[in-house]
Amino acid sequence: MITKQKGTYDIAGVEGKKREYVNSIIRGICEKYNYDYIETPVFEATELFHRGVGETSDLVSKETYDFTDRGGRNITLRPEGTAGVVRYFIENKLYGNMTEPIKVFYNEKMYRYERPQSGRNREFTQFGAEFIGSDDILADLDIISLAYQTYTLLGLDVVIKINSLGDTESRNNYRKALIEYFTPHINNLCEDCKERLNKNPLRILDCKVDASSDILNNAPKTIDYLNKESLDRYNKLKEYLDLLEIPYEEDQKLVRGLDYYNHVVFEIYADIPNVGHLALGGGGRYNGLIKELDGPEVPAVGFAMGYDRTMLALSEANINIPINDSIDVYIMYVSDDEKETAAYITQNLRLNGFICETDYLNKGLKGEFKSADRLKAKYLIILNDKDLESNEVNVKDNTTKEEEKVNINDLVEYLDMHL
Ligand code: HAM
C-alpha cells in the first residue's frame, strides 16, 4: 500500500468543511480590507528564496525542498509566500505606475523540511497578506489589524507580540552590538550559533538550542539601538494599536526567523488548553526586499497565518465552527419509471438553491428512507407513477413526518416557504 509522505496530510470530511468555513471568513475579511486574491507558482527559482528569505535563515539553510529539474534548473518548492508575491510585483513592473498600493492575499500550500509535530508539518497551508507601496504607519496598522480581526472573527483570543528592528542604520548598530556581546561567549554557544555570529548574529536570538540560556537572555535589546526616527515610528504604531484597541505585548527578543524584516515585526499567539503558548502567525515590514530582488526601493509590510495551528487552536479551545452537515431535500423514486423525473427535479431544485440528493445506487424505497436520515434531509420528495400522472409528487417533512401532495411546477415555491 502506498501511504502519504511524512509531514503531509489529507483534508476531508468534517475537517474539509471546517477549512471551508475558515476560508470563507478569510475571503470575507479580505474583501472588507480590500485585499485582492493572488496565486503564485508552487515552485520558483531557488535563488528567489536564497536571496529573498536569506541564506543564513534556518528556513533556507535547512528546510527548503530543493531539486534540479529535468532541464537542469535549480528549483525550490515555495516555503513561504512573500518572496513569490515580490517576484510577481517586480516581474510585472507594477512599480511603474503605482497610483495605489498593491494589496493582495493568498491561501496556499507551503513546503518546509521540518521535523513534523503537532501543528508543524512539511506541507502546510498559509493564509498571508502583503501590502506593497506604502511606508506609512497606516499600512503597518492595516496588516496587523487584518491579522488580529481574522483571529477574532474565528473566535480565538489572541495577543500580538511586537518589536521593532528599526531602519538599516539601527539594524546595523544592533548587529555590531550583538557581535561584540556574543564574541566572548562564543564557546558556550551551539555549533549553528558559532556560524551565525559573523554572518547574521540576529539569528542567534532565534536559536532553539540556546533559547533559555542566560547568554541569550542578557543579550542587547533592539529597542536600545533604534535611532530617533525608528523609535518615534515604533511609538506611533503603539499609539495607533491602542486607539484601535488591538491588544499587544512588547517582546524585545522577537526578531523573526526570516532575514527580510526591518521596523515592526510581530507574532500572534494564543494560549490553548493542553497545547500551551502557540504562535499562530507572524509578519512585519520588509522595506529592503524588493530592492534585494532587483526591483526599485519600494516599501512593504505583510503577515502570514498557519492553518494547521489555527485549526488546532480552534479545536483545542472548543470553538464551535458552524458547519452544515444536513441537506435540504432527498428525492426518492419507487421504480425505474420515475428515474427521469427524479433527475429532472434534482437538477431543477439545485439550480434554485436547494441542497439536494437522490439515490444513485437503486436502493429501493426502504434504503432511500435510510439514506435520507443518514444525510439529515429536511424534506423528502417521493415519486410514484400514480401521482406523476397528475404531475404531482409526495413531499414529506422529515421532522414532523407530515406529508402533502404538491404539483411539480410549484415545488420551488413550496420549499421556499417551508425551508
Ligand atoms: P513564518 O513565521 O515563517 O512567516 O510563517 C508564518 C506562520 O506559518 C507561522 O506562524 C506558522 O503558523 C505557520 N507555519 C510555519 N511553518 C509551519 C510548518 N512547518 N507547519 C505548519 N505551519 C507552519 C512567513 O512565512 C512570512 N512569509 C510571513 C510574512 C508575510 N511576513 C511578511 N509577509
Side-chain angles (χ1 to χ4, degrees):
M1 184 178 56
I2 302 169
T3 57
K4 62 185 181 305
Q5 293 298 299
K6 192 172 169 185
T8 68
Y9 51 86
D10 305 302
I11 300 161
V14 173
E15 200 50 39
K17 285 185 195 280
K18 287 183 179 172
R19 289 230 173 189
E20 277 297 294
Y21 170 75
V22 174
N23 285 343
S24 71
I25 294 283
I26 288 170
R27 268 198 305 275
I29 194 160
C30 285
E31 195 177 10
K32 306 263 166 23
Y33 278 69
N34 200 29
Y35 284 75
D36 290 336
Y37 181 69
I38 186 170
E39 275 181 36
T40 62
V42 169
F43 60 89
E44 299 262 9
T46 297
E47 192 189 354
L48 174 69
F49 302 110
H50 279 243
R51 273 166 61 195
V53 177
E55 302 272 6
T56 55
S57 64
D58 274 4
L59 179 52
V60 164
S61 60
K62 295 186 191 155
E63 294 168 5
T64 47
Y65 276 89
D66 302 323
F67 61 96
T68 311
D69 75 4
R70 290 171 197 268
R73 299 170 196 89
N74 290 326
I75 300 291
T76 294
L77 295 187
R78 175 179 63 203
E80 60 99 54
T82 312
V85 169
V86 166
R87 195 260 317 127
Y88 156 81
F89 174 78
I90 299 170
E91 189 172 346
N92 292 289
K93 299 194 173 55
L94 299 185
Y95 47 81
N97 182 22
M98 274 192 86
T99 45
E100 297 296 331
I102 307 286
K103 294 171 66 174
V104 290
F105 80 98
Y106 45 86
N107 209 327
E108 292 177 331
K109 296 268 192 192
M110 306 290 166
Y111 300 86
R112 297 186 189 180
Y113 195 81
E114 295 197 71
R115 199 158 56 82
Q117 49 188 290
S118 174
R120 186 172 286 277
N121 287 291
R122 291 185 172 166
E123 182 186 67
F124 60 97
T125 306
Q126 265 188 358
F127 153 51
E130 312 293 347
F131 189 135
I132 302 178
S134 166
D135 195 29
D136 202 279
I137 291 279
L138 283 185
D140 296 350
L141 197 68
D142 212 61
I143 282 287
I144 297 176
S145 164
L146 171 68
Y148 175 68
Q149 298 303 347
T150 304
Y151 291 107
T152 306
L153 273 179
L154 288 172
L156 282 167
D157 234 353
V158 293
V159 74
I160 304 188
K161 293 193 181 176
I162 60 166
N163 192 21
S164 173
L165 303 175
D167 59 11
T168 313
E169 183 189 62
S170 310
R171 224 187 124 128
N172 285 343
N173 286 339
Y174 183 55
R175 188 176 182 279
K176 262 192 231 146
L178 285 179
I179 295 177
E180 262 170 42
Y181 170 80
F182 280 122
T183 302
H185 298 293
I186 180 100
N187 291 327
N188 300 319
L189 296 175
C190 76
E191 288 309 308
D192 279 348
C193 284
K194 284 181 185 145
E195 282 265 311
R196 288 168 179 142
L197 181 63
N198 285 305
K199 282 194 195 152
N200 191 347
L202 258 79
R203 288 280 72 75
I204 300 179
L205 300 173
D206 223 24
C207 176
K208 284 156 196 105
V209 182
D210 291 328
S212 55
S213 85
D214 280 347
I215 306 175
L216 248 71
N217 286 330
N218 299 328
K221 306 279 182 271
T222 46
I223 193 100
D224 299 323
Y225 295 84
L226 296 182
N227 57 20
K228 183 172 178 323
E229 210 191 333
S230 300
L231 188 62
D232 286 350
R233 181 189 174 106
Y234 182 47
N235 287 333
K236 194 87 211 150
L237 175 65
K238 288 187 283 178
E239 278 173 31
Y240 274 106
L241 291 172
D242 288 335
L243 177 78
L244 298 195
E245 295 180 9
I246 297 175
Y248 62 87
E249 278 173 14
E250 289 183 72
D251 179 352
Q252 296 183 354
K253 284 204 304 190
L254 181 69
V255 290
R256 306 269 301 130
L258 318 173
D259 285 354
Y260 47 59
Y261 293 112
N262 56 9
H263 289 296
V264 68
V265 284
F266 64 95
E267 277 180 359
I268 297 136
Y269 282 83
D271 283 310
I272 307 296
N274 305 322
V275 181
H277 202 49
L278 202 63
L280 303 180
R285 184 160 276 285
Y286 50 93
N287 286 354
L289 180 61
I290 295 170
K291 188 147 194 280
E292 175 64 39
L293 293 172
D294 305 329
E297 207 157 306
V298 180
V301 57
F303 94 102
M305 155 190 134
Y307 260 67
D308 304 29
R309 293 190 207 167
T310 303
M311 300 310 295
L312 183 71
L314 288 170
S315 136
E316 291 294 334
N318 281 325
I319 290 171
N320 183 35
I321 297 183
I323 54 170
N324 183 17
D325 63 348
S326 63
I327 65 168
D328 293 324
V329 189
Y330 190 87
I331 293 106
M332 302 160 61
Y333 49 89
V334 174
S335 72
D336 274 6
D337 296 343
E338 298 90 41
K339 237 179 182 171
E340 280 180 19
T341 315
Y344 171 79
I345 292 178
T346 305
Q347 165 162 296
N348 191 37
L349 292 182
R350 284 173 176 165
L351 294 181
N352 278 284
F354 299 103
I355 306 171
C356 297
E357 268 303 8
T358 189
D359 174 12
Y360 308 98
L361 301 172
N362 298 299
K363 292 179 172 175
L365 269 191
K366 209 169 151 208
E368 288 170 351
F369 273 114
K370 279 192 188 150
S371 285
D373 285 345
R374 257 196 306 272
L375 294 168
K376 299 190 188 140
K378 295 180 193 117
Y379 274 82
L380 315 179
I381 292 179
I382 306 151
L383 310 181
N384 63 61
D385 52 358
K386 213 157 147 253
D387 290 341
L388 286 180
E389 273 169 25
S390 49
N391 212 30
E392 282 186 327
V393 295
N394 227 350
V395 182
K396 183 172 179 178
D397 180 327
N398 207 19
T399 318
T400 63
K401 307 294 177 200
E402 276 169 25
E403 279 183 56
E404 256 184 278
K405 294 238 188 299
V406 179
N407 189 289
I408 290 184
N409 299 326
D410 300 333
L411 266 178
V412 171
E413 203 183 337
Y414 179 91
L415 290 169
D416 262 338
M417 264 170 39
H418 289 79
L419 273 164

